[in-house]
Structure formats: structure tokens, C-alpha cells
Amino acid sequence: MSETNGTTPTGADSGPAVPPRPDTPPLGPGAPQPPYSSWNATAPIPTGGAAFGYPSPHAPAPKKQPRRFGAPVLIGGMLAAALVGGGTAVATGYAVNASGPAGLTAVSGQPVVINNPENVTAVTAAAAKASPSVVTIEVSGGNASGSGSGIILDAAGHILTNTHVVTLGGEVANPAIAVRTSDGQVHDAKVVGTDPLSDLAVIKIDAANLTAATLGSSSSLNVGDTAIAIGAPLGLSGTVTDGIVSTLNRTISIASSAVPDAPAEGSQDSSDDEFNFQFPGQQEAPSGQGSIAVNVIQTDAAINQGNSGGALVDVNGDIIGVNVAIASASSGSTASGDSGNIGVGFAVPIDYAKRIANDLVAHGTATHGLLGVTVQAKAADTASGSTSFSVGAEVRSVSGGSPAEKAGLKQGDIITGVGDRSVEDSLSLTAVIREYAAGSQAKVHFTRDGQPQSVDVTVAEVTE
């Protein structure tokens, strides 16, 4: 549906609800591999590793004064993080040149020695645990080429990354992909599935002795928690940067990495925004390309071109997000390889990414929820009668036969939340509804005639 009277369509083309797909198995160390014939659809979805949690009272001190560990604690931490040797962590750096598949060449890695085991920080142990599960990805097709990062999901060789990495921002439909693992080996990869609406993708390599990542829980994060970005910025494999979780559930709009005629439901005119949100290294979106709305983790850990698809890690070395975008000033300057990182980076939360990855591995595609309403931002009421703050998404129209109509939503209702997430405008409503799988149930909170109400809605499926 096209925009009308300043409103923004949010799934107005909905039809009958699509039944949910059977639960797909979790990804992570020890997870069963396809075809998953014995998967128990009623079993809870594991996190791919140990239960998420922040150690107390052993949590790290603020970044400026990192916690230091004595030798006994260090040794135990190293064992947990799969470090090699007494007091020596082995990491590897590699060169990228024009030879080999998609420009990758494996070279001998040099061990990085921990010179002072008495003063190793928590970031050191977390990075050492997660780094073997992060790969460098080179993509080429036609006259285009680029690089990014990825996260090893299981021993079968499934790797989670961004759709914009494997399609070069929507430019390449049939890419040649090469993956360099942390041991310096280079492997050809094939695309298992892409999901432009979350900008996530899964590729696969055939390789032995892969180290699957431990997937954490983004729902357990706090603002201020340590965040560690691991990837290959500017092609520099195995790069680690650290910072904090700056905020949670930030809704941003980024270019769709699908073909230019992909739907852009829920997008808003961002010409007046102070910042643009874009893929690291992207100068501007291709002409005619749509946009997607995504809820993300914001971090000040440095994210640059090549970090896309890489890991955002917590202090335990568990994956909490998939690095996806950066912010740049709307004046046209970019926070990428030219002007550098400005400390505002974004990652797709791992809780959302796990669902998408499971669907892509099992089916090659993923589903997204559709509500079936057209909305606009509802301004907060003030004594002066004018404000730039919005407090919800006001329903302007409800599509006939849509999930919204079946649930009883009406024109004039102001949607203020979905589940435990707040809704401020059409963009945040679109982003949170898209996180639900087609056929699943979402609790929508709204006000009608000033009275708060809630209703359960079985969402339909977004179709292109």
C-alpha cells in the first residue's frame, strides 16, 4: 500500500494468518544436524551453550580500569575459553591478496603470546573464547567484490552473517564466496539462505574441526555491559575492539540488501534525521533500493567496514549480536573506511538472529509477522499543544481480513507496545512485528479513548 496523508503502511496487504512452521532445531555446539528428523517440536530452544549470566561478584570493572586476574583464575579462564598452552593464547593473523578464491590466501599465523598472565583482563579471555568461531568472508561477483565477517554456528559448517555481505548490498545474485577460518584455512562457501528483512544470511563450508560459537541471550543484557566486537574490519582478520552496550532496542532503518523492488513496509522519511544508518563502508544506498526497520543493540565498540556479519560478544565470550550497521552524520560524511568509526555501531540481537538462522538452515527462507494496519506516529500531548516526541503508533486504517481486524483493532487506536517492547511510531511497530514468525501470537498493547487495553494477535506472513 502506498503512503497516504503522511501515514506509513505497516503490513496493510495482509491476508489470512499463515500457520507457524514447526520449530526448527537450535544451532550451536553439539546441536543435531540436518535433516533434524528427530527434532522435538515441543522442546525449549537452547541457547547453543551454557546458560547466559553475568558472574558476580567477579564482574569486570569499568573499561578504564579492567579487572585483573591472578594466575589460578587465569588458568581456569583459559581452559574455559579453549586457550592453548600454559599462559599462551594462540591467535592468528592473515594476509589478503588477489590470489586464491575470491582473493583470499591462507598464510601461516603467528602466535600472540600473553606477556603478563598476572594482568590479563576479562576481555582477553572473552575474545580468546569467541575468536576461533569468527571467520573472514570474501565475496565477488561481476565487477564487484567485498569482505565481511561471519559466526560459525555448528560443526556442519553453517555460518551466520549479513545478507548485505553475501549479496554485496544487493548487487550480486550469485556470488563467489570464500571463507577463511581462524586456523588460516580457506574454504569455498555456498549460500544456504538469505533474509533481507533482518539482513541476516547463512552460508556453509565443508571443513573439519570447526569451533562453534556459544550463543548467549540478548534479552538478558543491561545498558553498560561490556561489549566486544570481533571481525575483520578493513580486511584485518581477528580484530577485537571493546566497549559497552550503549542502548537496547534501538530501531533503525537501513537499506534493503534484496533486489531494489523488495517491500519497504514501515519505512519513514529520514531526510530530517540527524544520523543516517548504513552498512559499514557503504557510501549511499543504490538508487531505488527499499529500506528495512530493525531493532538493534547499540554499542560504542568500534565497528568498521568488514565487521559486518561478525560477532558482538559479552564478557563471558558468548555471542549477543551480529554486527550490522553504523551511524553517520546526515551531512553526507560516512563513518566507514574514509572517515572512521564514530563510536555508534549496531548489532542484530542474537535472540532474533537465532530464530532466523534456524529457519534458514531448515527451510532456506525465514518468515516475518504482518499485522495489517496503516499507522502514523502519535505526538505526545502537552500544555502548549506541540511536541516532537511521539508516544505510540496511531492506527489510521485496518485492512479487511487482516490479523489486526480479526483481533478487534480499530482506526484511532494508539498502539503503545508489543509484548514487552514499547512502540513509539510506525518504524518501531514494523520492526517488532517483523521479529515474530508468521503464525505466532503477539500481545499488542494499545489505548482506546484514553483507556489502556491489550489483545492477542496471530500475525500473518509478509509476502514479497
Side-chain angles (χ1 to χ4, degrees):
M1 176 180 290
S2 60
E3 297 184 10
T4 306
N5 298 326
T7 63
T8 306
T10 305
D13 59 343
S14 62
V18 177
R21 288 175 170 164
D23 287 344
T24 52
L27 299 168
Q33 303 307 321
Y36 306 116
S37 57
S38 62
W39 172 247
N40 178 3
T42 63
I45 297 177
T47 62
F52 182 91
Y54 292 94
S56 178
H58 304 294
K63 180 179 176 182
K64 296 299 183 180
Q65 297 177 337
R67 177 173 173 80
R68 303 188 184 280
F69 295 89
V73 178
L74 173 67
I75 298 301
M78 283 185 169
L79 290 175
L83 295 183
V84 179
T88 300
V90 178
T92 313
Y94 310 100
V96 178
N97 58 34
S99 62
L104 281 175
T105 298
V107 298
S108 297
Q110 299 297 320
V112 178
V113 178
I114 296 177
N115 294 310
N116 188 350
E118 294 294 332
N119 292 307
V120 168
T121 68
V123 171
T124 305
K129 174 185 175 182
S131 289
S133 303
V134 180
V135 302
T136 301
I137 300 172
E138 288 283 344
V139 181
S140 62
N143 296 322
S145 64
S147 65
S149 306
I151 303 164
I152 298 173
L153 293 171
D154 54 25
H158 292 106
I159 295 170
L160 180 62
T161 185
N162 294 137
T163 293
H164 82 258
V165 169
V166 300
T167 66
L168 296 177
E171 295 184 27
V172 179
N174 298 299
I177 305 175
V179 170
R180 183 173 56 249
T181 51
S182 64
D183 60 3
Q185 299 299 310
V186 178
H187 308 272
D188 291 326
K190 63 179 182 180
V191 176
V192 173
T194 61
D195 182 51
L197 288 182
S198 64
D199 196 38
L200 295 172
V202 172
I203 61 176
K204 187 178 185 298
I205 61 175
D206 292 322
N209 303 317
L210 295 175
T211 302
T214 301
L215 306 184
S217 171
S218 49
S219 63
S220 301
L221 292 174
N222 299 310
V223 172
D225 286 343
T226 296
I228 304 158
I230 305 176
L234 311 178
L236 302 174
S237 301
T239 296
V240 176
T241 57
D242 77 306
I244 62 169
V245 172
S246 301
T247 196
L248 298 167
N249 298 323
R250 173 80 72 197
T251 304
I252 63 173
S253 178
I254 53 179
S256 169
S257 49
V259 291
D261 60 355
E265 294 179 308
S267 62
Q268 291 181 317
D269 182 4
S270 60
S271 59
D272 295 329
D273 289 348
E274 182 179 358
F275 290 101
N276 294 323
F277 304 106
Q278 61 192 55
F279 307 136
Q282 178 192 52
Q283 299 300 313
E284 58 183 21
S287 177
Q289 193 165 4
S291 62
I292 60 173
V294 186
N295 285 322
V296 292
I297 301 167
Q298 181 179 320
T299 179
D300 66 347
I303 295 175
N304 287 288
Q305 181 178 358
N307 272 121
S308 291
L312 191 67
V313 178
D314 67 14
V315 75
N316 300 316
D318 298 342
I319 311 299
I320 55 173
V322 182
N323 297 323
V324 64
I326 57 175
S328 67
S330 59
S331 61
S333 62
T334 63
S336 60
D338 292 333
S339 61
N341 174 273
I342 60 172
V344 186
F346 307 97
V348 179
I350 196 61
D351 291 351
Y352 181 27
K354 280 187 284 191
R355 180 184 78 78
I356 300 300
N358 286 336
D359 273 359
L360 292 177
V361 170
H363 308 291
T365 60
T367 67
H368 294 272
L370 190 69
L371 186 58
V373 294
T374 299
V375 298
Q376 68 178 11
K378 171 64 176 178
D381 295 325
T382 65
S384 62
S386 63
T387 177
S388 60
F389 296 107
S390 57
V391 294
E394 183 177 5
V395 177
R396 305 297 295 169
S397 65
V398 179
S399 297
S402 68
E405 183 185 60
K406 294 176 182 178
L409 290 173
K410 299 180 180 180
Q411 180 180 358
D413 290 344
I414 301 171
I415 299 175
T416 57
V418 177
D420 60 356
R421 306 274 283 279
S422 63
V423 167
E424 295 182 352
D425 50 29
S426 61
L427 198 67
S428 58
L429 175 61
T430 297
V432 68
I433 289 293
R434 294 295 186 263
E435 291 185 13
Y436 286 81
S440 61
Q441 194 171 80
K443 183 172 289 293
V444 176
H445 309 288
F446 63 98
T447 60
R448 178 180 295 170
D449 299 326
Q451 299 300 312
Q453 301 185 42
S454 298
V455 65
D456 291 324
V457 180
T458 301
V459 298
E461 181 177 4
V462 174
T463 57
E464 297 186 11

